[in-house]
């Protein structure tokens, strides 16, 4: 045991030496004079000096100049007075000139007599701590700066918000448009002062009420639908409707709006003056068109009247001279001029949409197929006519005869546009127009049947296409056309509830499309019976009541009927005609004009007569279609219509057909 004791002492001494040398902190011992007597390996490594180089130097010599001053003035006195100091932050100067931040503890060791034996110095590497302190200081400085900046920003934002609020309020007050904030149900929540200026309403008279209360009744349904749509998507295309002024009048406004954060924000621009100016412009254009129309009519009718009047005078002269062999020639000339005059008025009525139509469910493919041969003969063998018939084509409710005329007219125009030959294509197809397509074609949304005629001719420039529907406008040479062909087709299509569209390009041909609304039903099958060579005559001396306020027409009708063996009774107005209808006189057929004096029109008189004679057959004659009087083309069974002027043969066939037809149920 005693032998082991020295060995244990040596081992302990070695352990202490190893701990001293390799401790994680720097150790040094200094003599009372302050010079280092012992330095461990850790401190030597940190300073970059060998331990032997540090022994004999003062610890003070390892500090920076500021550190030396700081140490001499503060910590050396503190060490002498109290014998220690802890965690003094200093900077050591390394051998390479760089500084090492450290924390220094120092304690004085004394002997029993109180004399200083040595000073123990402990050094801790403070690089990480110093870096942390610097970072913390920088962070604090940045936070202080950010706080100051935020404070300045808040002040700036408050100023900006105040400025923006003032600007918004100024814009709200000074805007020349109506501005509103409304709830989703249309209740007005806020309005700008312009309401009082433009419409006379104060804020308290509007706020809390629905905008619908001030909307024109005729615009209300469409306006409510447009407002509801705003809740789904912004209203970017201005929507126009009429709003009531406080004085009871209405003004027009075009609105744009959006729905955000549970509110509708909208602005309305006053378009009343624009509408008035547009109406005035349209009226001016109408008057200009009327001037062109009447000028063209006067020219054409003067030519026709000259032919008719001159022929009649020559007939009278030749009859006095006894040269009756020339009468037939002049009579044919007068009849030809009269037929051309009738055709001209027919085209005018078609353009004005007042022609007499007999709309029936029609198979347009069958109509085109029936016209194919006639069209080919008309345009000539040098221009092939191709037909592209659409499969499962819908039915159209249309006057088949007028549609045939329109088709033939379009094909003749196509032929005239191809003086050097070409090709005509007649196409039928079904067309569906949704809201977007309808806007592109400027047509109501829906389903249509399309009849198109395309050619490979010279085509037309845009400025000509824009005028093709004008009356008496023609691109043909003088005397080669009246300029009413496309006008007639346009009027016929509009009167039938449809549209006409023209697409043309110079050198590439023209395509004209007639769009007719789809009819949900089957087409009628028409059985045509060829007319015999002789006019049909009365078989049993039937009686026909003729009511017309024009004496000449009434006389001609009576003479035609009597020549055919009928008994004709005449009346000059609706009152006299109704009196006869309510009597016991035999009447097998009523032939009446639509427009009559006497308190009621021809349709009203016929309806009143049918109250007494339920099976009365009625043939209306008219110079143009009073659609309201004729029920917009929907007449009761046993009723028909014929247009003036009419031929004797046509009248005789229609009278005979109606008399022989079964009595209406």
């Amino acid at each position: 045991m005693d032998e082991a004791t020295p060995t244990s002492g040596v081992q302990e001494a070695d352990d202490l030496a190893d701990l001293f040398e390799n401790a994680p902190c720097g150790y040094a011992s200094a003599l009372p004079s302050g010079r280092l007597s012992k330095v461990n390996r850790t401190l030597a490594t940190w300073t970059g000096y060998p331990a032997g180089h540090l022994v004999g130097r003062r610890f003070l010599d390892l500090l920076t100049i500021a550190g030396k001053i700081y140490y001499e003035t503060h910590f050396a006195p503190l060490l002498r007075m109290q014998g220690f100091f802890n965690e003094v932050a200093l900077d050591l100067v390394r051998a390479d000139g760089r500084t090492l931040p450290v924390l220094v503890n120092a304690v004085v060791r004394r002997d029993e007599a109180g004399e200083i034996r040595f000073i123990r110095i402990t050094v801790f590497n403070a690089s990480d701590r110093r870096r942390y302190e610097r970072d913390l200081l920088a962070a604090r400085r940045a936070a202080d700066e950010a706080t100051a900046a935020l404070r300045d920003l808040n002040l700036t934002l408050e100023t900006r918000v105040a400025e923006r609020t003032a600007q918004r309020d100024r814009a709200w007050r000074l805007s020349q448009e109506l501005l509103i904030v409304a709830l989703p149900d249309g209740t007005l929540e806020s309005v700008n002062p312009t309401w009082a200026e433009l419409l006379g309403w104060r804020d308290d008279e509007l706020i809390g009420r629905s905008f619908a209360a001030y909307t024109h009744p005729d615009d209300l349904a469409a306006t409510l639908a447009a407002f509801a749509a705003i809740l789904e998507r912004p209203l970017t295309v201005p929507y126009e409707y009429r709003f009531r002024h406080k004085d009871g009048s209405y003004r027009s406004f075009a609105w744009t709006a959006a729905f955000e954060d549970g509110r509708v924000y909208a602005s309305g621009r006053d378009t009343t003056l624009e509408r008035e100016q547009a109406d005035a412009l349209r009226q001016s254009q109408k008057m200009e068109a009327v001037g062109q129309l009447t000028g063209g009519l006067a020219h054409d009718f003067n030519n026709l009247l000259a032919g008719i009047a001159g022929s009649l005078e020559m007939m009278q002269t030749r009859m006095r001279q006894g040269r009756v062999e020339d009468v037939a020639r002049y009579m044919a000339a007068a009849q030809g001029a009269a037929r051309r005059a009738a055709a001209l008025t027919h085209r005018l009525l078609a353009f004005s949409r007042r022609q007499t139509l007999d709309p029936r469910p029609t198979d347009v493919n069958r109509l085109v197929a029936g016209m194919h041969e006639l069209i080919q003969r008309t345009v000539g063998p040098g221009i092939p006519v191709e037909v592209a018939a659409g499969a499962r084509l819908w039915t159209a409710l249309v006057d088949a005869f007028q549609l045939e005329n329109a088709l033939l007219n379009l094909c003749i125009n196509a032929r005239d546009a191809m003086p050097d030959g070409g090709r005509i294509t007649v196409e039928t197809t079904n067309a569906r127009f949704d809201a977007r397509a309808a806007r592109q074609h400027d047509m109501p949304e829906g389903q249509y049947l399309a009849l198109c005629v395309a050619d490979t001719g010279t085509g037309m420039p845009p400025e000509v296409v824009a005028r093709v529907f004008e009356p008496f406008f023609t691109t043909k040479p003088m005397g080669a056309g009246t300029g009413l062909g496309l006008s007639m087709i346009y009027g016929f299509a509009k009167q039938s509830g449809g549209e006409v569209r023209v697409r043309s390009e110079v050198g590439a041909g023209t395509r004209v499309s007639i769009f007719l609304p789809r009819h949900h039903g089957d087409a009628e099958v028409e059985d045509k019976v060829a007319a015999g060579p002789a006019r049909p005559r009365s078989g049993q001396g039937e009686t026909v009541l003729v009511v017309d306020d024009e004496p000449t027409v009434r006389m001609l009708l009576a003479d035609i009927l009597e020549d055919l063996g009928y008994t004709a009774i005449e009346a000059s107005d609706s009152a006299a005609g109704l009196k006869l209808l309510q009597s016991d006189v035999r009447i097998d057929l009523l032939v009446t004009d639509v427009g009559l004096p006497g308190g009621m029109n021809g349709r009203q008189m016929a309806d009143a007569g049918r109250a007494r004679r339920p099976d009365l057959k009625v043939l209306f004659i008219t110079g143009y279609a009073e659609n309201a009087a004729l029920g917009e083309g929907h007449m009761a069974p046993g009723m028909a219509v014929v247009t003036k002027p009419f031929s004797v043969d046509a009248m005789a066939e229609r009278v005979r057909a109606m008399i022989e037809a079964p009595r209406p149920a």
Side-chain angles (χ1 to χ4, degrees):
M1 188 70 179
D2 292 338
E3 295 177 354
T5 301
T7 305
S8 298
V10 173
Q11 182 67 41
E12 183 178 352
D14 290 342
D15 290 342
L16 290 174
D18 180 71
L19 178 62
F20 177 80
E21 292 293 336
N22 298 304
C25 57
Y27 284 123
S29 295
L31 299 174
S33 63
R35 296 190 180 275
L36 298 175
S37 60
K38 192 176 183 179
V39 176
N40 74 341
R41 185 182 295 116
T42 301
L43 180 60
T45 301
W46 285 351
T47 61
Y49 292 107
H53 180 78
L54 295 175
V55 173
R57 299 183 64 184
R58 294 184 305 171
F59 180 77
L60 185 66
D61 295 337
L62 301 177
L63 301 180
T64 61
I65 296 176
K68 291 176 181 179
I69 297 172
Y70 191 50
Y71 184 86
E72 286 285 358
T73 57
H74 288 76
F75 298 107
L78 185 63
L79 186 63
R80 286 193 297 270
M81 287 187 294
Q82 68 179 18
F84 69 92
F85 62 78
N86 293 323
E87 294 190 357
V88 175
L90 297 170
D91 289 325
L92 298 181
V93 180
R94 293 165 51 92
D96 58 7
R98 291 184 297 169
T99 59
L100 175 69
V102 294
L103 292 175
V104 180
N105 294 347
V107 60
V108 175
R109 299 299 186 190
R110 298 179 183 271
D111 58 17
E112 294 178 355
E115 296 296 328
I116 298 175
R117 291 175 55 206
F118 62 90
I119 301 170
R120 176 74 67 199
I121 300 173
T122 306
V123 180
F124 299 94
N125 191 332
S127 298
D128 293 338
R129 178 171 175 173
R130 189 71 60 84
R131 186 181 307 109
Y132 169 75
E133 290 175 346
R134 284 198 303 268
D135 292 345
L136 180 60
L137 181 62
R140 287 177 177 174
R141 186 180 298 111
D144 292 342
E145 292 175 352
T147 301
L150 181 60
R151 185 168 52 252
D152 294 341
L153 179 61
N154 286 336
L155 294 174
T156 304
L157 285 177
E158 290 176 3
T159 303
R160 289 180 179 177
V161 169
E163 291 175 352
R164 296 286 175 82
T165 302
Q167 292 172 357
R168 184 202 62 189
D169 292 343
R170 189 179 303 112
W172 179 268
R173 293 193 310 271
L174 300 180
S175 173
Q176 295 302 302
E177 297 186 356
L178 301 184
L179 302 178
I180 68 167
V181 180
L183 298 176
D185 63 358
T187 301
L188 298 176
E189 196 173 67
S190 182
V191 298
N192 69 331
T194 306
W195 285 78
E197 179 183 344
L198 295 182
L199 291 168
W201 300 106
R202 300 190 312 272
D203 292 6
D204 59 339
E205 295 173 315
L206 295 168
I207 294 174
R209 301 192 64 187
S210 173
F211 75 93
Y214 306 89
T215 301
H216 194 289
D218 294 344
D219 301 341
L220 184 57
T223 302
L224 289 175
F227 183 84
I230 296 171
L231 305 182
E232 300 296 331
R233 59 184 179 277
L235 177 62
T236 55
V237 177
Y239 173 79
E240 188 171 358
Y241 75 97
R242 290 167 289 179
F243 207 91
R244 178 160 50 89
H245 194 281
K246 192 171 182 178
D247 63 10
S249 63
Y250 284 89
R251 297 182 68 87
S252 297
F253 292 86
W255 292 87
T256 54
F259 180 64
E260 296 180 5
D261 300 327
R263 298 291 187 275
V264 174
Y265 300 86
S267 65
R269 182 173 58 86
D270 190 352
T271 58
T272 307
L273 180 59
E274 293 178 16
R275 290 181 64 88
E276 292 173 352
Q277 292 174 339
D279 290 341
L281 176 60
R282 281 194 295 269
Q283 184 63 26
S284 173
Q285 292 172 336
K286 286 180 182 178
M287 295 306 296
E288 182 179 355
V290 168
Q292 295 174 349
L293 182 65
T294 54
L297 278 176
H299 175 268
D300 287 353
F301 270 108
N302 280 337
N303 289 339
L304 295 170
L305 289 174
I308 295 172
S311 296
L312 291 174
E313 289 181 12
M314 290 303 298
M315 288 168 60
Q316 188 179 40
T317 299
R318 291 293 185 262
M319 291 174 68
R320 283 199 304 265
Q321 294 172 346
R323 297 167 56 185
V324 295
E325 67 277 2
D326 293 335
V327 170
R329 181 160 58 93
Y330 295 121
M331 185 179 297
Q335 290 175 334
R339 284 192 295 271
R340 291 194 298 275
L344 180 59
T345 57
H346 175 74
R347 290 188 172 189
L348 286 171
L349 292 173
F351 173 73
S352 65
R353 307 176 208 173
R354 289 181 175 270
Q355 64 178 330
T356 302
L357 296 180
D358 185 16
R360 298 181 183 276
T362 303
D363 183 340
V364 178
N365 273 347
R366 186 190 306 153
L367 181 147
V368 172
M371 290 284 292
H372 190 187
E373 183 179 353
L374 173 62
I375 294 172
Q376 187 64 76
R377 288 202 309 268
T378 302
V379 302
I383 299 177
V385 178
E386 300 177 358
V387 175
R392 291 188 291 275
L393 193 69
W394 294 327
T395 301
L397 186 66
V398 67
D399 187 318
F401 176 72
Q402 299 298 340
L403 186 59
E404 288 176 348
N405 281 345
L407 175 58
L408 183 60
N409 201 317
L410 288 177
C411 291
I412 292 174
N413 283 351
R415 176 201 64 188
D416 294 342
M418 298 183 291
D420 299 324
R423 183 180 68 260
I424 296 175
T425 301
V426 180
E427 179 184 357
T428 60
T429 185
N430 297 326
R432 294 179 176 86
F433 292 126
D434 56 18
R436 179 179 180 183
R439 286 194 300 269
Q440 291 176 344
H441 287 79
D442 192 22
M443 291 171 58
E445 184 177 352
Q447 296 178 328
Y448 293 85
L449 177 147
L451 173 61
C452 310
V453 176
D455 63 61
T456 58
T458 55
M460 297 177 288
E463 61 271 16
V464 173
V465 173
R467 299 187 60 192
V468 292
F469 296 131
E470 293 181 11
F472 298 107
F473 176 78
T474 179
T475 58
K476 298 176 182 179
M478 184 67 68
T482 63
L484 282 173
L486 283 176
S487 300
M488 176 198 72
I489 295 170
Y490 175 80
F492 159 68
K494 296 292 285 185
Q495 191 176 349
S496 301
E499 295 283 349
V500 182
R501 292 291 177 264
V502 178
R503 189 171 73 243
S504 186
E505 183 179 348
V506 175
T510 300
R511 181 184 179 87
V512 182
S513 301
I514 302 175
F515 293 96
L516 299 171
R518 177 186 182 182
H519 173 71
H520 294 275
D522 296 330
E524 292 184 356
V525 179
E526 184 178 357
D527 295 326
K528 296 184 178 180
V529 180
R535 295 172 184 168
R537 296 181 58 81
S538 169
Q540 301 176 3
E542 293 90 342
T543 300
V544 180
L545 172 59
V546 178
V547 185
D548 199 304
D549 60 324
E550 177 58 47
T552 303
V553 175
R554 197 168 62 245
M555 176 196 71
L556 288 173
L557 281 170
D559 289 348
I560 291 171
L561 292 169
E562 289 175 356
D563 283 350
L564 297 174
Y566 297 101
T567 299
I569 304 175
E570 300 180 37
S572 60
D573 57 38
S574 58
L578 182 59
K579 185 175 181 180
L580 288 168
L581 289 171
Q582 292 175 340
S583 70
D584 295 330
V585 175
R586 174 183 176 179
I587 299 176
D588 297 284
L589 174 67
L590 168 63
V591 179
T592 178
D593 194 2
V594 176
L596 288 176
M600 61 183 69
N601 60 39
R603 177 61 185 266
Q604 293 168 334
M605 181 191 68
D607 290 341
R610 278 194 164 188
R612 173 68 180 271
R613 303 170 185 261
D615 57 353
L616 177 67
K617 300 174 181 178
V618 183
L619 177 61
F620 294 106
I621 54 174
T622 181
Y624 69 96
E626 291 112 331
N627 287 335
L630 292 177
E632 300 294 341
H634 302 288
M635 290 179 286
M639 291 184 176
V641 62
V642 66
T643 307
K644 300 175 185 176
F646 45 79
S647 67
V648 174
D649 291 340
M651 177 57 70
E653 291 174 4
R654 182 56 67 94
V655 168
R656 183 75 260 162
M658 292 201 67
I659 287 179
E660 292 180 352
R663 293 285 181 179

